[in-house]
Amino acid sequence: MEVIVAAVIFMIAAFGIMTTVSMLRPHNLEVSREIEASYHAKNMMDYLRGQVDAVAWEANTGPLETGIPHSNTIGDYTINWTLTEVNPADYPAGLAPRKLSMNVYYPD
């Protein structure tokens, strides 16, 4: 009888441990995908920063154009961004700062 009770207790403990381990694995995968998404967003911001010069800023064209949604796909990740001018009436023409809003989407 003691062997049967010990075996049942062992099976319950083993089931609990296996359930815990199986729950951790998908969580780690999700975290790594979130980190990869943040690296893609950082790389896109670095690219956009490199595109800033007086001509592009004044022309308001290309990836720095304000008021329209932009998009770029890198592998499974889709990066969407929009630039808007911040209080353009408070600054001389063409010198208003721009605010970047960015989202990164990826499959689950």
Side-chain angles (χ1 to χ4, degrees):
M1 185 66 144
E2 290 178 13
V3 172
I4 293 173
V5 170
V8 168
I9 292 172
F10 176 76
M11 292 297 286
I12 291 172
F15 178 75
I17 291 170
M18 295 300 268
T19 303
T20 301
V21 169
S22 68
M23 296 292 281
L24 291 176
R25 185 177 178 134
H27 180 70
N28 287 340
L29 179 63
E30 180 67 21
V31 168
S32 67
R33 291 190 57 85
E34 289 173 358
I35 290 171
E36 190 172 352
S38 68
Y39 279 122
H40 285 304
K42 179 194 174 299
N43 289 338
M44 181 55 67
M45 286 188 284
D46 289 342
Y47 167 76
L48 293 172
R49 189 177 301 116
Q51 298 299 307
V52 175
D53 64 7
V55 174
W57 196 264
E58 188 65 32
N60 195 22
T61 60
L64 300 174
E65 187 173 356
T66 60
I68 64 166
H70 300 276
S71 184
N72 190 7
T73 301
I74 303 169
D76 292 340
Y77 298 86
T78 301
I79 304 168
N80 297 326
W81 72 93
T82 304
L83 287 156
T84 55
E85 289 190 359
V86 179
N87 300 327
D90 295 343
Y91 298 91
L95 296 179
R98 294 179 183 165
K99 179 177 113 178
L100 172 68
S101 301
M102 181 179 286
N103 293 316
V104 181
Y105 299 96
Y106 55 92
D108 292 333

